[in-house]
Amino acid sequence: MAQFLTINDVNINKKRVLIREDFNVPIADGVVQNDLRIRAALPGIQQALRANAQVILMSHLGRPEPGHWQAEFSLQPIAACLSEMLNENVKFIKQWPVDNLNVHDKIVLLENVRFLPGETENSPDLAKQMAALCDVFVMDAFGSAHRAHASTVGVAEFSAQAVAGPLLTAEVEALDRIMQNAKHPVVAIIGGAKVSTKFEVLQALLTKVDTLIVGGGMANTLLAAQGNAIGASLWEPDLLDAAKKLLSSAQEHNCKIVLPTDVVTQDAVVKNLQALQATDQILDIGPATVQQYAQYIASAATILWNGPMGVFENPKFANGTMQIADAIARSQAFSVAGGGDTLAAIENAHLTAEFSYISTGGGAFLEYIEGKRLPAIEALITKR
Ligand code: ADP
Ligand code: MG
């Protein structure tokens, strides 16, 4: 467990509590499309409300151009969503600097911090303005913890007190349970389009896990490194040498890397790897591969999953991903899943509740697994 204070270690009773949330959720026509991250933030907010704190919430949404308000990046729809979930009027404050905060406003939501010049540069002036709003700063945006911004790092530095909220704490605990003190056998399943985006994740995992299962487009480069012909599939020739090193490094660490033996091609035909034609594209793992992966999953004590096994957006190539989700759901192991597309697949399959922990962090989740130190967490450790 990281050495930072949590909201339980400080007195927030009747204090002004500023919580950095991750309300970076998909919104269409002013309506929240997926409220997982908002629901995940509720325990921290409710804890502060129960303590009769004045609760000030802030978050980013998307990547707007700083200095210009743009309707599509406004957090206003989140205020409506939160009011309903909390059964409490959440006042929305659009202007910055905030000069109309009333002691009687129990809970307010500030406008998107990324409209503010200096936010992504971690401007000390902006961070001081944020810190001045509160007695206690609570960092609960795990999904933004890998960003050194004014609302994640600077504000912690300048606040009287800065602590972790329950979501951030739970995320760190769940990921440490995989990366630091896991029950073996540990099985990691990593997928997605390109091996280059997750190369460091694979490198970090092979020193920690017993079995590293790779699927999705990123398996293609590893298959090529083993000397397999992969037809016209997506792969990254530049990474061929790195992939070969990864495979031998896994051997040195006694980590078994498991790759597909059969696949689904663009015509939705199942083929053994050896039967691939030069024009074939691998778009999903095949049924024999699914069965093999499911066996590893069934005998695991700890499971980590990130990345779809195929182009799951198309139902023709979603079977591998759905079957893996199902296999993990049926397992009794401690299971953690993360990643935007991975969570979408799990939600499509209505299996969210079957996982031990669902990480709300995309980039932060991957960086934490890589063993990187996340700046917002470091700021809390320094503060202590
Ligand atoms: P996550 O968001 O869960 O971290 P990624 O964004 O890394 O996952 O990967 C998801 C993407 O990978 C999806 O858009 C999916 O279509 C793509 N993908 C998976 N398998 C393949 C494949 N065989 N060929 C091309 N793209 C693939
Ligand atoms: Mg993704």
Side-chain angles (χ1 to χ4, degrees):
M1 186 71 207
Q3 293 306 298
F4 49 71
L5 294 180
T6 77
I7 192 168
N8 299 322
D9 298 318
V10 291
N11 178 16
I12 56 166
N13 214 12
K14 298 195 176 136
K15 297 283 173 65
R16 294 174 304 152
V17 174
L18 173 64
I19 312 181
R20 174 58 158 99
E21 305 285 11
D22 178 8
F23 291 149
N24 186 30
V25 299
I27 295 175
D29 299 323
V31 180
V32 172
Q33 303 296 300
N34 183 326
D35 62 6
L36 175 84
R37 284 178 165 175
I38 305 177
R39 279 185 278 120
L42 295 179
I45 299 171
Q46 283 160 334
Q47 185 172 350
L49 287 173
R50 276 197 307 274
N52 291 313
Q54 181 177 40
V55 184
I56 306 155
L57 306 173
M58 66 174 171
S59 173
H60 80 284
L61 175 68
R63 292 171 182 225
E65 178 84 12
H68 311 276
W69 185 87
Q70 292 148 274
E72 62 173 308
F73 295 111
S74 175
L75 281 176
Q76 180 118 44
I78 311 285
C81 189
L82 274 173
S83 297
E84 206 168 294
M85 286 177 173
L86 293 164
N87 200 16
E88 185 92 55
N89 182 41
V90 177
K91 182 172 162 182
F92 184 65
I93 298 186
K94 198 172 155 183
Q95 65 271 44
W96 186 270
V98 180
D99 50 14
N100 60 340
L101 203 58
N102 187 305
V103 280
H104 300 297
D105 295 330
K106 265 176 91 175
I107 173 163
V108 304
L109 171 64
L110 308 183
E111 183 54 293
N112 189 348
V113 290
R114 292 228 183 133
F115 287 145
L116 306 174
E119 158 65 5
T120 58
E121 292 78 25
N122 192 13
S123 143
D125 288 340
L126 180 60
K128 280 177 196 166
Q129 285 179 354
M130 291 170 173
L133 293 171
C134 69
D135 305 305
V136 180
F137 169 68
V138 178
M139 176 61 189
D140 213 18
F142 178 72
S144 308
H146 60 317
R147 303 281 182 223
H149 293 173
S151 70
T152 57
V153 168
V155 61
E157 204 176 308
F158 295 114
S159 296
Q161 288 184 298
V163 298
L167 176 60
L168 184 81
T169 308
E171 293 270 4
V172 167
E173 268 168 8
L175 295 182
D176 283 354
R177 203 167 147 183
I178 298 220
M179 301 308 289
Q180 281 172 27
N181 37 33
K183 232 172 116 182
H184 289 260
V186 185
V187 173
I189 305 110
I190 305 293
K194 291 185 169 180
V195 74
S196 55
T197 61
K198 291 179 188 171
F199 204 81
E200 286 166 310
V201 173
L202 296 177
Q203 269 177 328
L205 283 173
L206 62 81
T207 66
K208 307 267 180 184
V209 308
D210 303 292
T211 309
L212 180 54
I213 293 175
V214 185
M218 62 192 281
N220 300 341
T221 303
L222 296 179
L223 287 170
Q226 283 185 337
N228 296 288
I230 52 166
S233 304
L234 170 78
W235 74 297
E236 293 168 284
D238 291 355
L239 281 167
L240 197 61
D241 283 341
K244 285 179 185 165
K245 279 193 196 122
L246 190 87
L247 292 170
S248 59
S249 172
Q251 249 170 358
E252 283 160 29
H253 284 95
N254 270 326
C255 167
K256 192 172 168 61
I257 293 195
V258 186
L259 298 174
T261 53
D262 66 340
V263 297
V264 180
T265 62
Q266 69 272 21
D267 310 313
V269 176
V270 174
K271 285 191 181 173
N272 277 330
L273 212 51
Q274 292 76 19
L276 284 181
Q277 308 286 309
T279 53
D280 279 336
Q281 290 170 39
I282 301 172
L283 296 180
D284 195 8
I285 56 174
T289 301
V290 164
Q291 217 176 25
Q292 191 200 11
Y293 288 8
Q295 271 166 16
Y296 280 108
I297 290 167
S299 56
T302 305
I303 300 168
L304 175 72
W305 180 28
N306 166 261
M309 296 292 102
V311 182
F312 76 108
E313 296 90 340
N314 182 338
K316 280 197 255 179
F317 310 115
N319 182 61
T321 303
M322 290 301 144
Q323 298 283 339
I324 292 307
D326 198 60
I328 301 173
R330 277 185 278 115
S331 141
Q332 297 299 307
F334 177 71
S335 57
V336 175
D341 291 292
T342 309
L343 300 200
I346 294 169
E347 281 191 34
N348 288 347
H350 304 287
L351 292 173
T352 308
E354 311 305 319
F355 282 69
S356 310
Y357 195 79
I358 295 278
S359 176
T360 58
F365 164 82
L366 292 173
E367 286 195 20
Y368 200 89
I369 290 169
E370 285 169 22
K372 288 202 179 126
R373 294 178 164 272
L374 307 189
I377 293 178
E378 292 307 300
L380 297 180
I381 295 171
T382 306
K383 193 74 182 177
R384 176 175 200 170

